Structure formats: C-alpha cells, structure tokens
Short mmCIF file of all heavy atoms in Angstrom, two decimals:
data_model
loop_
_atom_site.label_atom_id
_atom_site.label_comp_id
_atom_site.label_asym_id
_atom_site.label_seq_id
_atom_site.Cartn_x
_atom_site.Cartn_y
_atom_site.Cartn_z
N LYS A 1 -7.62 229.29 99.95
CA LYS A 1 -8.64 229.50 100.99
C LYS A 1 -9.91 228.73 100.64
O LYS A 1 -10.54 228.13 101.51
CB LYS A 1 -8.92 231.01 101.11
CG LYS A 1 -9.91 231.36 102.15
CD LYS A 1 -9.31 231.19 103.53
CE LYS A 1 -10.28 231.71 104.58
NZ LYS A 1 -9.81 231.44 105.92
N LEU A 2 -10.27 228.73 99.36
CA LEU A 2 -11.46 228.02 98.90
C LEU A 2 -11.33 226.52 99.18
O LEU A 2 -12.28 225.89 99.66
CB LEU A 2 -11.65 228.27 97.40
CG LEU A 2 -12.90 227.72 96.76
CD1 LEU A 2 -14.16 228.32 97.38
CD2 LEU A 2 -12.89 228.00 95.27
N ILE A 3 -10.19 225.97 98.92
CA ILE A 3 -9.95 224.54 99.18
C ILE A 3 -10.09 224.25 100.67
O ILE A 3 -10.73 223.27 101.07
CB ILE A 3 -8.56 224.12 98.65
CG1 ILE A 3 -8.56 224.13 97.13
CG2 ILE A 3 -8.18 222.74 99.19
CD1 ILE A 3 -7.20 223.98 96.50
N GLU A 4 -9.51 225.10 101.52
CA GLU A 4 -9.60 224.91 102.96
C GLU A 4 -11.04 224.97 103.44
O GLU A 4 -11.48 224.14 104.25
CB GLU A 4 -8.79 225.98 103.68
CG GLU A 4 -7.29 225.86 103.52
CD GLU A 4 -6.56 227.06 104.11
OE1 GLU A 4 -7.15 227.79 104.93
OE2 GLU A 4 -5.39 227.27 103.75
N LEU A 5 -11.79 225.94 102.94
CA LEU A 5 -13.17 226.11 103.36
C LEU A 5 -14.04 224.94 102.92
O LEU A 5 -14.91 224.47 103.66
CB LEU A 5 -13.74 227.42 102.82
CG LEU A 5 -13.14 228.69 103.42
CD1 LEU A 5 -13.67 229.91 102.68
CD2 LEU A 5 -13.40 228.80 104.90
N LYS A 6 -13.82 224.46 101.70
CA LYS A 6 -14.58 223.31 101.21
C LYS A 6 -14.29 222.06 102.05
O LYS A 6 -15.18 221.27 102.34
CB LYS A 6 -14.28 223.05 99.74
CG LYS A 6 -14.96 224.03 98.81
CD LYS A 6 -14.70 223.69 97.37
CE LYS A 6 -15.50 224.60 96.45
NZ LYS A 6 -15.32 224.25 95.03
N HIS A 7 -13.04 221.92 102.45
CA HIS A 7 -12.64 220.78 103.28
C HIS A 7 -13.33 220.88 104.65
O HIS A 7 -13.88 219.88 105.15
CB HIS A 7 -11.12 220.75 103.43
CG HIS A 7 -10.62 219.59 104.20
ND1 HIS A 7 -10.60 218.31 103.69
CD2 HIS A 7 -10.15 219.50 105.47
CE1 HIS A 7 -10.12 217.49 104.61
NE2 HIS A 7 -9.85 218.19 105.70
N GLU A 8 -13.32 222.05 105.24
CA GLU A 8 -13.98 222.24 106.53
C GLU A 8 -15.49 222.00 106.41
O GLU A 8 -16.10 221.38 107.29
CB GLU A 8 -13.71 223.65 107.06
CG GLU A 8 -14.28 223.88 108.44
CD GLU A 8 -13.99 225.24 109.01
OE1 GLU A 8 -13.19 226.02 108.42
OE2 GLU A 8 -14.58 225.55 110.05
N HIS A 9 -16.09 222.45 105.32
CA HIS A 9 -17.52 222.26 105.09
C HIS A 9 -17.85 220.77 105.01
O HIS A 9 -18.82 220.29 105.61
CB HIS A 9 -17.91 222.97 103.79
CG HIS A 9 -19.37 223.03 103.53
ND1 HIS A 9 -20.02 222.07 102.77
CD2 HIS A 9 -20.31 223.92 103.91
CE1 HIS A 9 -21.30 222.38 102.71
NE2 HIS A 9 -21.51 223.50 103.39
N ARG A 10 -17.01 220.02 104.32
CA ARG A 10 -17.19 218.57 104.17
C ARG A 10 -17.02 217.88 105.54
O ARG A 10 -17.77 216.98 105.89
CB ARG A 10 -16.17 218.04 103.17
CG ARG A 10 -16.53 216.76 102.50
CD ARG A 10 -15.63 216.41 101.32
NE ARG A 10 -14.28 216.92 101.37
CZ ARG A 10 -13.80 217.90 100.57
NH1 ARG A 10 -14.58 218.45 99.67
NH2 ARG A 10 -12.56 218.32 100.67
N ASP A 11 -16.03 218.33 106.31
CA ASP A 11 -15.80 217.77 107.65
C ASP A 11 -17.00 218.01 108.56
O ASP A 11 -17.39 217.14 109.34
CB ASP A 11 -14.55 218.36 108.29
CG ASP A 11 -13.27 217.86 107.65
OD1 ASP A 11 -13.31 216.86 106.89
OD2 ASP A 11 -12.21 218.47 107.92
N LEU A 12 -17.60 219.19 108.45
CA LEU A 12 -18.77 219.49 109.26
C LEU A 12 -19.93 218.57 108.93
O LEU A 12 -20.70 218.18 109.82
CB LEU A 12 -19.18 220.95 109.07
CG LEU A 12 -18.46 221.96 109.94
CD1 LEU A 12 -18.86 223.38 109.54
CD2 LEU A 12 -18.70 221.75 111.41
N ASP A 13 -20.06 218.21 107.66
CA ASP A 13 -21.09 217.24 107.25
C ASP A 13 -20.94 215.94 108.05
O ASP A 13 -21.91 215.40 108.58
CB ASP A 13 -20.98 216.90 105.77
CG ASP A 13 -21.77 217.83 104.88
OD1 ASP A 13 -22.73 218.46 105.38
OD2 ASP A 13 -21.46 217.90 103.68
N GLN A 14 -19.72 215.46 108.13
CA GLN A 14 -19.45 214.21 108.83
C GLN A 14 -19.71 214.34 110.33
O GLN A 14 -20.29 213.45 110.95
CB GLN A 14 -18.01 213.76 108.58
CG GLN A 14 -17.76 213.41 107.13
CD GLN A 14 -16.29 213.15 106.83
OE1 GLN A 14 -15.43 213.36 107.69
NE2 GLN A 14 -16.00 212.73 105.61
N VAL A 15 -19.31 215.46 110.91
CA VAL A 15 -19.52 215.68 112.33
C VAL A 15 -21.02 215.74 112.64
O VAL A 15 -21.48 215.14 113.63
CB VAL A 15 -18.81 216.98 112.80
CG1 VAL A 15 -19.21 217.32 114.22
CG2 VAL A 15 -17.31 216.86 112.67
N ILE A 16 -21.76 216.42 111.80
CA ILE A 16 -23.22 216.53 112.00
C ILE A 16 -23.88 215.15 111.90
O ILE A 16 -24.74 214.80 112.71
CB ILE A 16 -23.83 217.53 110.99
CG1 ILE A 16 -23.40 218.96 111.37
CG2 ILE A 16 -25.35 217.41 110.95
CD1 ILE A 16 -23.74 220.01 110.34
N GLU A 17 -23.45 214.35 110.93
CA GLU A 17 -24.00 213.01 110.78
C GLU A 17 -23.74 212.17 112.03
O GLU A 17 -24.65 211.48 112.53
CB GLU A 17 -23.39 212.30 109.57
CG GLU A 17 -23.96 212.75 108.25
CD GLU A 17 -23.32 212.04 107.07
OE1 GLU A 17 -22.92 210.86 107.24
OE2 GLU A 17 -23.21 212.66 106.01
N ARG A 18 -22.52 212.22 112.55
CA ARG A 18 -22.19 211.46 113.76
C ARG A 18 -22.97 211.95 114.97
O ARG A 18 -23.41 211.16 115.80
CB ARG A 18 -20.69 211.52 114.05
CG ARG A 18 -19.90 210.53 113.20
CD ARG A 18 -18.48 210.60 113.53
NE ARG A 18 -18.04 211.87 112.93
CZ ARG A 18 -16.80 212.30 112.88
NH1 ARG A 18 -15.84 211.62 113.42
NH2 ARG A 18 -16.49 213.44 112.30
N LEU A 19 -23.15 213.24 115.05
CA LEU A 19 -23.90 213.82 116.16
C LEU A 19 -25.35 213.34 116.14
O LEU A 19 -25.94 213.06 117.18
CB LEU A 19 -23.83 215.35 116.10
CG LEU A 19 -24.47 216.11 117.24
CD1 LEU A 19 -23.76 215.81 118.56
CD2 LEU A 19 -24.42 217.61 116.98
N LEU A 20 -25.92 213.24 114.95
CA LEU A 20 -27.31 212.80 114.82
C LEU A 20 -27.49 211.32 115.16
O LEU A 20 -28.56 210.89 115.54
CB LEU A 20 -27.82 213.08 113.41
CG LEU A 20 -28.10 214.55 113.09
CD1 LEU A 20 -28.38 214.73 111.61
CD2 LEU A 20 -29.26 215.07 113.93
N GLU A 21 -26.41 210.54 115.02
CA GLU A 21 -26.48 209.11 115.32
C GLU A 21 -26.46 208.84 116.82
O GLU A 21 -26.93 207.81 117.26
CB GLU A 21 -25.32 208.38 114.65
CG GLU A 21 -25.42 208.35 113.14
CD GLU A 21 -24.17 207.80 112.48
OE1 GLU A 21 -23.17 207.55 113.18
OE2 GLU A 21 -24.19 207.65 111.25
N ARG A 22 -25.91 209.76 117.59
CA ARG A 22 -25.82 209.57 119.04
C ARG A 22 -27.12 209.97 119.72
O ARG A 22 -27.79 210.90 119.30
CB ARG A 22 -24.69 210.43 119.62
CG ARG A 22 -23.32 209.90 119.32
CD ARG A 22 -22.30 210.60 120.13
NE ARG A 22 -22.36 212.05 119.85
CZ ARG A 22 -21.57 212.93 120.40
NH1 ARG A 22 -20.67 212.57 121.26
NH2 ARG A 22 -21.67 214.21 120.09
N GLN A 23 -27.42 209.27 120.78
CA GLN A 23 -28.60 209.60 121.58
C GLN A 23 -28.14 209.95 122.99
O GLN A 23 -27.28 209.26 123.51
CB GLN A 23 -29.58 208.44 121.60
CG GLN A 23 -30.18 208.14 120.25
CD GLN A 23 -30.99 209.29 119.69
OE1 GLN A 23 -31.64 210.02 120.42
NE2 GLN A 23 -30.94 209.47 118.38
N PRO A 24 -28.64 210.93 123.62
CA PRO A 24 -29.56 211.93 123.09
C PRO A 24 -28.84 212.93 122.20
O PRO A 24 -27.64 213.17 122.36
CB PRO A 24 -30.11 212.62 124.34
CG PRO A 24 -29.01 212.50 125.34
CD PRO A 24 -28.32 211.17 125.03
N VAL A 25 -29.56 213.51 121.28
CA VAL A 25 -28.98 214.48 120.34
C VAL A 25 -28.82 215.82 121.05
O VAL A 25 -29.74 216.30 121.71
CB VAL A 25 -29.89 214.64 119.10
CG1 VAL A 25 -29.36 215.72 118.18
CG2 VAL A 25 -30.01 213.32 118.36
N ASP A 26 -27.63 216.39 120.92
CA ASP A 26 -27.37 217.72 121.49
C ASP A 26 -27.79 218.76 120.45
O ASP A 26 -27.03 219.12 119.56
CB ASP A 26 -25.89 217.85 121.83
CG ASP A 26 -25.54 219.16 122.50
OD1 ASP A 26 -26.38 220.09 122.51
OD2 ASP A 26 -24.40 219.26 123.01
#
C-alpha cells in the first residue's frame, strides 16, 4: 500500500506541474 501511495503522490506532482503550465490555470 505504501508503494502504491508513493507512486500516486509522485504522479500528482507531475499532474500539478502540467496544470500550472497551461493557461488559464484551473
């Protein structure tokens, strides 16, 4: 479960970064 959660946490980092690059920011 810890491995899965860490993976999801890392994926969210990437999604947040991509979201911030798009204009307008949601």
